[in-house]
Amino acid sequence: MKKNLSLAIIGCGNIANFHVEAFKFLGYKIKHCASRFNSTKVKHFANKHKITNVWKDPYKLAKSRNDWDAIILSSTTETTPKILEILIKHKKPILVEKPVSIGTRYLKKYASNYPKFVNVAYNRRFYSTIDKAFKFIKNSKGQLFCNMKLPGVVKKGKNKLVGFRNVFENSCHGIDILRFLFGDLKIIKNTRIKLNNFDSGRTTLLRSKQNHLCNILMNSNSPDNFSLEIENGKKRLLLRPFESFEIYEGISFVKPNKKYPLKSYKPKLVEKSDIFSNLKSEKKLKPGFLGQSKDFLNLIKGNKNLKSATLKDAYKTQQILEKIMLS
């Protein structure tokens, strides 16, 4: 890989800032940037991050393949597919923000064949808590059962794809995590739930190829956190939210006392931590972005064993969400 790597970015929103800071932390400067046509914010973005080359037209930057070695695409979900198609033609490393598109209409072309030089930025794959869940599954024997809660903002409207936009754009993190941990999943049963007096909630049972069962609750507009709970018959791992983990094993007996005059039983907590434990200077970065950026640099180097999602993964995640929310 070139020592003087020329990186470019399209987009100048909050997520774009997180990408730039992560690469800066690793010693790589972004040299080119663009946002929407004639953006008024892109100059401030460039000044903030000391980016020397500011482009007025994102499509011109996308087409200018000789000016950059690799590119980060962090534009709006609506414009991402069109820009991504231009970038893919160059066959250069691309890091594109999730979900890439809402639904499968665009992504279905990558259902089987997909460019290996494109990483999809599902940053939660790089949480230390997700690593913990991965090891928990690997070290468990037999069938596993998991519960996942994915609360999301759902709006009433005739167009369900629009009303469920937050689910397709944000709750997709949960589906991607399940696929990352358990592999391909098949929907066994899907039930609609009327929450807030309209068709918005779902409870869905899925099965992996290893016969593990996953139950997802789409508890729309709920005052709740994303969570994942995995049982192996002896231990229970809990991520609530995804940024923290707890492992329980066994039950302890609590004697009655003045404050609570009944005997009670309490799960024994044997281990706990969160994504910020053991972090030093990188604590200031958006969680998951450092590992994600390192993975992209590995892609640029030509390494193949990567943790990042692919366009095929992005398609399968949106496909599951379509079957859950729209069928």
Side-chain angles (χ1 to χ4, degrees):
M1 186 169 65
K2 295 179 182 179
K3 289 184 178 180
N4 194 24
L5 185 68
S6 181
L7 290 174
I9 188 167
I10 296 177
C12 66
N14 286 335
I15 299 298
N17 281 295
F18 299 141
H19 283 295
V20 175
E21 291 295 341
F23 282 103
K24 191 186 300 181
F25 183 86
L26 293 170
Y28 292 90
K29 288 182 63 178
I30 306 297
K31 297 184 178 180
H32 299 266
C33 70
S35 188
R36 64 182 64 189
F37 187 72
N38 284 332
S39 169
T40 57
K41 295 181 180 179
V42 72
K43 285 186 178 180
H44 173 74
F45 177 83
N47 290 334
K48 177 181 177 182
H49 297 294
K50 298 180 181 179
I51 302 172
T52 53
N53 302 291
V54 182
W55 297 64
K56 293 182 179 180
D57 186 342
Y59 294 96
K60 282 188 178 180
L61 176 55
K63 292 175 182 177
S64 185
R65 69 183 307 275
N66 294 325
D67 287 295
W68 47 266
D69 301 309
I71 194 164
I72 304 141
L73 179 54
S74 184
S75 58
T76 64
T77 308
E78 286 74 19
T79 60
T80 291
K82 187 176 179 180
I83 299 174
L84 182 59
E85 284 304 293
I86 295 171
L87 297 175
I88 286 174
K89 292 176 183 178
H90 304 321
K91 297 183 179 180
K92 287 189 170 187
I94 303 163
L95 176 60
V96 57
E97 257 304 324
K98 61 83 192 169
V100 182
S101 73
I102 302 295
T104 61
R105 186 175 179 179
Y106 166 70
L107 284 166
K108 63 183 178 182
K109 66 169 72 178
Y110 302 116
S112 55
N113 296 317
Y114 59 95
K116 306 298 190 298
F117 52 85
V118 180
N119 281 2
V120 181
Y122 275 102
N123 65 296
R124 283 173 173 82
R125 284 188 175 210
F126 296 90
Y127 280 8
S128 59
T129 53
I130 300 302
D131 285 339
K132 198 72 181 179
F134 192 87
K135 291 174 183 176
F136 182 88
I137 294 167
K138 185 179 179 180
N139 295 331
S140 296
K141 295 180 180 180
Q143 188 179 31
L144 301 177
F145 178 71
C146 77
N147 276 305
M148 177 173 276
K149 280 188 175 183
L150 296 175
V153 177
V154 175
K155 299 178 181 179
K156 291 183 179 180
K158 293 182 180 180
N159 188 326
K160 286 189 175 181
L161 199 60
V162 174
F164 295 148
R165 180 186 178 95
N166 182 264
V167 175
F168 285 91
E169 201 164 45
N170 195 36
S171 299
C172 58
H173 271 297
I175 304 299
D176 179 71
I177 285 172
L178 282 183
R179 291 195 64 258
F180 178 64
L181 294 174
F182 292 101
D184 285 332
L185 297 164
K186 182 180 179 181
I187 295 175
I188 304 302
K189 187 175 182 180
N190 187 44
T191 305
R192 297 184 181 188
I193 307 171
K194 279 195 172 183
L195 295 174
N196 197 22
N197 202 32
F198 75 106
D199 173 28
S200 61
R202 300 287 187 276
T203 178
T204 308
L205 183 64
L206 305 97
R207 179 182 283 123
S208 74
K209 289 182 178 179
Q210 292 75 33
N211 210 33
H212 303 311
L213 293 175
C214 301
N215 185 65
I216 299 175
L217 177 61
M218 297 282 193
N219 45 334
S220 62
N221 302 320
S222 172
D224 203 353
N225 289 323
F226 282 2
S227 65
L228 172 64
E229 191 173 20
I230 305 175
E231 303 261 6
N232 67 8
K234 185 180 179 181
K235 294 182 180 181
R236 177 167 62 97
L237 176 139
L238 176 64
L239 308 186
R240 187 176 61 196
F242 293 156
E243 289 76 14
S244 66
F245 85 84
E246 297 173 346
I247 295 179
Y248 295 88
E249 183 177 10
I251 297 290
S252 60
F253 169 68
V254 181
K255 294 180 180 180
N257 53 57
K258 290 182 179 180
K259 188 176 181 180
Y260 192 84
L262 290 175
K263 65 179 181 180
S264 59
Y265 298 88
K266 186 178 180 181
K268 290 181 180 178
L269 178 66
V270 296
E271 189 179 355
K272 68 179 294 185
S273 189
D274 59 57
I275 58 172
F276 300 106
S277 298
N278 302 318
L279 291 183
K280 295 179 181 179
S281 56
E282 65 265 34
K283 185 178 284 190
K284 64 181 181 180
L285 300 175
K286 177 80 170 175
F289 273 68
L290 183 60
Q292 179 176 266
S293 300
K294 288 180 179 179
D295 212 49
F296 187 51
L297 291 173
N298 282 330
L299 175 70
I300 296 170
K301 291 176 184 177
N303 296 341
K304 294 181 179 180
N305 297 320
L306 305 177
K307 187 185 286 189
S308 293
T310 65
L311 286 174
K312 182 179 180 179
D313 292 321
Y315 162 75
K316 290 199 170 186
T317 290
Q318 292 295 306
Q319 183 187 44
I320 288 174
L321 284 170
E322 278 189 344
K323 289 179 178 179
I324 292 174
M325 302 307 298
L326 304 181
S327 61

